Amino acid sequence: MTAAPRPLRVAVIGGGPGGLYSAALLKRLDPAREVTVWERNAPDDTFGFGVVLSDETLGGIEHADPVVHAAMKDEFVRWDDIDIVHRGVCQTSGGHGFAALGRRRLLQILHERCRSLGIELRFSTEAPHPARLMKAYDLVIAADGVRSTAREAYAQVFRPTVEEHRCRYIWLAADFAFDAFRFEIAETEHGVMQLHGYPYAADASTVIVEMREEVWRAAGFDESETAETIERCAKIFTDALGGRPLRSNNSTWTTFRTVVNARWSHDNLVLLGDAAHTAHFSIGSGTKLAVEDALALAACLEEHASLRDALVAYEEERRPVVASTQRAARASLEWFEDLRLHLDQPARQFAFNLLTRSRRVTHDNLRLRDARFTEAVEEEFGCPPGTPPMFTPFRLRGLTLRNRVVVSPMDMYSAVDGVPGDFHLVHLGARALGGAGLVMTEMVCVSAEGRITPGCAGLYTGRQAEAWRRITDFVHAQAPGTAIGVQLGHSGRKGSTKLMWEGMDEPLEEGNWPLVAASPLPYKPGSQTPRELTRAQLTDIREQFASAACRAARSGFDLLELHCAHGYLLSGFLSPLTNRRTDAYGGSLAGRLRFPLEVLDAVRAVWPEERPMTVRISATDWAEGGTTAEEAVEIARAFAAHGADAIDVSTGQVVAEEQPQFGRSYQTPYADRIRQETGIPVIAVGAISSWDDVNSLILAGCTDLCALARPHLYDPHWTLHAAAEQGYSGPGAVWPAPYRAGSRRPQTGRTDAPKPRLALGG
């Protein structure tokens, strides 16, 4: 790279808040810099109306440029409340702390600051091609928005992914100030519509109207002129607006586009703000992210001797923050896309669900903000006073669980000839003593050929059943009130592999056994190709499941789960990616369901009537052409119709080429959808790592139970510790008598908070 270590000539493409603020910061930090901003629009042209910023972002601005902060502070409208209006009832939650100002006024403040610093602002002027700027300037900042021409000029380097979503929305304004951030739901003859409104001046509010694409078309908005659109929106939300009109500012209906880039810089060109990433407006982070990008970029340029190192550091610092924000934004936008699923919830629970939709506001966080509202939601849910939602009981058939925590099935690969030993006794016994309402075994295989690895446990011999009885007896005697469940499964095409720590999903080097599956498809290149099951073999395997269920009942298990997920045998029948059969057990969803339902029927017939059964499914394969969310709902309905008492909703691990969208609680929306559309109890899994997450999901009505795996590997007493940390003692979390002395959280040493990261001088 030939650019100067500390760039002296800086070109900024785009005169939005991010571009202008980065220009001002760089010029302020080095007055000798020559900084030029190109903006294709005129100074007073802007789109949208109000901008919302957090206190955290404002703190960064104050440290970096007190002049800009002071000017903004004088203009801010502040409020604490969120109003959620649904079916004529308004629920109000306080303590949220918003600050907003008009976008036009924000730009004016930044224009004035840039001019005072000597920055050249070129309005109504298209920037030269990035290649020309990169030759003429030391640093080129592309802050030219979601449709960035600079990004597209080097698309082969930045490798952008742009995803359009399912809702249409329009930015409008009203000439009065809402007294809270307002969400209002309208159930029209065409479908559900929603209003997002907030004040940005003493006499003005932003109003965003949003709805699904199909609702937008059914309502005829696709053929409406702007004036008609504005009038109709005002009429639909006349109660929210108090009968007042709406106005536009170059407003048009659009769909939100999520932008992700593989890289953010190329030579001396760097992306900033919406050019680099976008986050849905429902969490109010667009301008916030752009301003924070500018702060980080300026800091990194100060801290690193070379431009290359500075741009690498900028991306390394910002990418994790942006990724977290985008995950929250995706959760929020998808919640609004599927708003119809939650309309029948009780009023307060609906409001709580909306407030916690992005998973950034949680039960504990909301309690700090507004204890009265949170307690009202808990009371409506049925929590006894002082009882967190996770410690309320839940009943499945004849089994009452004392709390909502499940130790998720985790393969231990530590059995010998399928027999669980001392390790399993200690492993499962410790977690039962740890307070969970239900402790699940690993997948217990129904035959030797149905094992995943040589270390997998089974229930296909009497010796194995006796060993399991030893474990269930311990749990029932030493951890009374804790239930223990068994998960039955068959590996299918994912069997005959090494122990996880020796090479997960890698074929055994010796001692292999033949595999069977719905279709003769290897799991991945190099894997063994299974034989397609014949009708006679299907009957044999069905009987193996039934025999294992009989042994499980005699072994004293309280609950049985049928494993129809993660690409194992029964899952392989359900997914169109792994079931290519042309007989009655393939093709349509009904055909693909046929064998798993036959197995469920056989197991239910021999499993004691009073004991519950659950079924674990993969609700999506995370791969094109795989199981859809709509099919997952129908699969759940079918299993429930055949006797399943709850659906354990996992995802993926069906095909090796999957592309999961990992993140905190990333699988829970699939459980939520099944629960809302079918009314069937569900168990949510997938990166649920804190008791706050469990409380939030339970209280929002997204799930009935939460299954956690890795947290219980880290801490066998996770549930009891969650109770101690929340100050709860009651029937939902009973400490074993020998452990009661440890029921208080130990004292810890003092730690001092770090000073602000981005302090760029006075």
Side-chain angles (χ1 to χ4, degrees):
M1 181 178 294
T2 59
R6 292 291 178 90
L8 291 176
R9 302 191 73 232
V10 179
V12 180
I13 308 172
L20 291 168
Y21 192 53
S22 61
L25 286 175
L26 293 177
K27 182 69 171 177
R28 177 172 177 267
L29 289 168
D30 187 351
R33 281 190 175 116
E34 176 190 328
V35 182
T36 306
V37 179
W38 279 266
E39 170 53 50
R40 67 171 66 97
N41 297 304
D44 291 333
D45 288 346
T46 186
F47 303 93
F49 297 94
V51 173
V52 180
L53 294 173
S54 69
D55 288 340
E56 180 184 20
T57 303
L58 294 174
I61 293 172
E62 184 176 16
H63 280 286
D65 193 332
V67 173
V68 170
H69 179 266
M72 293 171 62
K73 186 178 179 181
D74 290 342
E75 302 286 340
F76 275 130
V77 175
R78 291 185 174 273
W79 71 100
D80 290 325
D81 289 350
I82 296 176
D83 286 345
I84 299 165
V85 183
H86 173 43
R87 294 181 175 169
V89 178
C90 179
Q91 300 290 336
T92 299
S93 172
H96 296 278
F98 295 101
L101 76 165
R103 182 178 174 87
R104 179 175 278 117
R105 181 60 188 131
L106 173 60
L107 292 176
Q108 289 171 351
I109 291 170
L110 293 173
H111 293 162
E112 292 165 6
R113 183 57 170 156
C114 286
R115 290 191 183 98
S116 72
L117 292 168
I119 294 167
E120 184 178 357
L121 302 177
R122 299 185 181 181
F123 293 108
S124 303
T125 305
E126 288 286 347
H129 191 279
R132 288 180 54 195
L133 292 175
M134 291 166 71
K135 290 180 180 179
Y137 288 82
D138 300 325
L139 173 65
V140 181
I141 300 173
D144 52 342
V146 64
R147 290 180 168 81
S148 169
T149 56
R151 182 187 68 225
E152 294 308 310
Y154 293 98
Q156 75 280 6
V157 177
F158 296 122
R159 302 196 303 281
T161 300
V162 180
E163 180 184 0
E164 290 200 4
H165 297 282
R166 297 180 292 174
C167 282
R168 291 273 182 168
Y169 67 96
I170 187 168
W171 289 84
L172 301 168
D175 292 325
F176 75 98
F178 284 120
D179 55 9
F181 202 124
R182 188 180 183 97
F183 294 100
E184 181 143 343
I185 315 303
E187 295 176 74
T188 75
E189 59 183 316
H190 308 294
V192 182
M193 305 176 188
Q194 58 257 20
L195 175 147
H196 312 243
Y198 58 88
Y200 67 86
D203 58 355
S205 296
T206 293
V207 175
I208 305 169
V209 177
E210 183 186 27
M211 65 199 72
R212 290 275 293 238
E213 172 88 14
E214 61 269 26
V215 176
W216 178 74
R217 293 189 181 279
F221 282 118
D222 56 329
E223 298 178 348
S224 297
E225 298 292 335
T226 302
E228 182 185 356
T229 288
I230 296 169
E231 185 178 343
R232 289 185 63 195
C233 287
K235 185 175 181 180
I236 291 168
F237 293 103
T238 187
D239 289 344
L241 300 171
R244 302 176 183 90
L246 290 168
R247 57 182 170 85
S248 76
N249 176 22
N250 300 312
S251 304
T252 59
W253 290 102
T254 188
T255 55
F256 189 80
R257 295 154 61 93
T258 295
V259 174
V260 177
N261 284 278
R263 289 184 58 182
W264 291 6
S265 66
H266 169 54
D267 290 341
N268 60 333
L269 171 66
V270 63
L271 303 179
L272 185 144
D274 283 355
H277 47 71
T278 59
H280 193 249
F281 60 82
S282 62
I283 66 167
S285 289
T287 301
K288 173 182 182 294
L289 287 176
V291 168
E292 290 175 350
D293 282 355
L295 286 164
L297 179 60
C300 290
L301 288 168
E302 286 295 295
E303 295 167 353
H304 294 272
S306 76
L307 180 59
R308 180 187 298 276
D309 290 345
L311 297 186
V312 169
Y314 158 69
E315 183 171 343
E316 287 179 347
E317 178 176 322
R318 291 297 296 156
R319 186 177 285 279
V321 177
V322 168
S324 175
T325 302
Q326 287 188 311
R327 286 193 295 270
R330 175 177 287 275
S332 179
L333 79 85
E334 290 179 349
W335 193 92
F336 281 111
E337 285 180 341
D338 293 326
L339 176 61
R340 62 179 179 81
L341 298 178
H342 305 102
L343 295 178
D344 292 331
Q345 287 188 309
R348 288 193 180 92
Q349 186 177 61
F350 176 85
F352 180 87
N353 197 346
L354 188 151
L355 291 170
T356 59
R357 68 195 181 280
S358 73
R359 307 181 196 113
R360 291 208 150 183
V361 175
T362 62
H363 171 264
D364 198 46
N365 179 265
L366 195 57
R367 175 180 288 281
L368 291 174
R369 298 183 187 202
D370 190 343
R372 181 178 297 180
F373 172 79
T374 307
E375 288 167 3
V377 181
E378 291 171 345
E379 182 179 358
E380 185 176 80
F381 180 79
C383 298
T387 301
M390 66 185 291
F391 292 116
T392 56
F394 188 73
R395 186 176 181 84
L396 286 172
R397 203 170 283 238
L399 176 67
T400 298
L401 302 176
R402 66 183 177 192
N403 62 53
R404 307 298 185 100
V405 179
V406 179
V407 176
S408 197
M410 295 174 279
D411 288 319
M412 293 289 106
Y413 309 108
S414 299
V416 178
D417 295 327
V419 179
D422 289 347
F423 176 87
H424 295 82
L425 175 67
V426 174
H427 167 68
L428 294 170
R431 279 139 192 90
L433 291 170
L438 172 65
V439 175
M440 292 297 300
T441 70
E442 62 199 88
M443 185 179 93
V444 176
C445 306
V446 299
S447 68
E449 297 77 20
R451 292 174 298 163
I452 307 167
T453 76
C456 288
L459 255 175
Y460 46 88
T461 71
R463 185 177 169 217
Q464 293 163 354
E466 291 172 3
W468 283 118
R469 183 79 206 198
R470 177 182 176 224
I471 294 169
T472 62
D473 283 348
F474 176 88
V475 171
H476 292 143
Q478 301 300 325
T482 296
I484 182 166
V486 62
Q487 185 188 68
L488 293 184
H490 187 296
S491 62
R493 69 178 189 151
K494 295 179 74 174
S496 192
T497 61
K498 297 177 181 179
L499 304 182
M500 179 180 66
W501 47 87
E502 294 176 353
M504 187 171 178
D505 296 324
E506 294 296 324
L508 291 170
E509 294 176 1
E510 58 182 24
N512 285 284
W513 57 86
L515 303 181
V516 294
S519 298
L521 303 170
Y523 177 60
K524 64 180 186 179
S527 295
Q528 183 185 151
T529 300
R531 298 193 308 271
E532 180 172 300
L533 284 162
T534 65
R535 293 289 187 97
Q537 289 173 314
L538 291 175
T539 300
D540 290 342
I541 289 176
R542 184 186 68 208
E543 294 308 310
Q544 289 170 357
F545 271 95
S547 296
C550 289
R551 294 188 185 94
R554 292 195 298 270
S555 295
F557 286 105
D558 302 299
L559 175 147
L560 185 149
E561 179 165 282
L562 191 63
H563 201 339
C564 296
H566 300 169
Y568 298 121
L569 182 68
L570 299 181
S571 171
F573 275 86
L574 292 172
S575 173
L577 296 177
T578 52
N579 185 341
R580 306 289 177 80
R581 300 176 74 100
T582 57
D583 63 2
Y585 292 95
S588 67
L589 179 58
R592 302 196 309 271
L593 267 164
R594 189 180 304 275
F595 183 59
L597 289 176
E598 288 181 357
V599 172
L600 176 60
D601 288 343
V603 171
R604 183 73 264 183
V606 300
W607 184 246
E609 175 66 23
E610 73 280 4
R611 300 187 205 178
M613 278 187 61
T614 63
V615 178
R616 174 169 278 208
I617 67 170
S618 286
T620 177
D621 298 335
W622 299 114
E624 187 175 354
T627 300
T628 66
E630 292 77 16
E631 286 181 323
V633 171
E634 295 309 311
I635 289 169
R637 280 199 176 103
F639 282 131
H642 283 251
D645 299 292
I647 305 298
D648 189 353
V649 188
S650 187
T651 66
Q653 302 179 54
V654 175
V655 293
E657 62 272 22
E658 67 176 4
Q659 293 184 310
Q661 295 172 354
F662 290 119
R664 183 167 134 250
S665 308
Y666 72 105
Q667 297 179 121
T668 57
Y670 294 92
D672 185 15
R673 178 168 188 155
I674 288 171
R675 188 179 190 274
Q676 305 307 332
E677 291 209 26
T678 68
I680 301 166
V682 297
I683 306 169
V685 304
I688 303 170
S689 56
S690 73
W691 50 259
D692 197 16
D693 287 337
V694 175
N695 283 327
S696 300
L697 293 166
I698 297 294
L699 194 57
C702 298
T703 187
D704 298 284
L705 301 167
C706 287
L708 299 89
R710 287 179 176 85
H712 283 112
L713 293 179
Y714 181 77
D715 179 6
H717 293 82
W718 185 89
T719 306
L720 292 179
H721 291 157
E725 289 170 13
Q726 295 176 79
Y728 170 75
S729 61
V734 178
W735 286 76
Y739 289 173
R740 285 175 191 162
S743 61
R744 293 182 181 179
R745 189 174 188 177
Q747 294 181 346
T748 58
R750 178 186 173 191
T751 59
D752 292 317
K755 291 182 171 58
R757 157 72 176 79
L758 293 174
L760 303 185

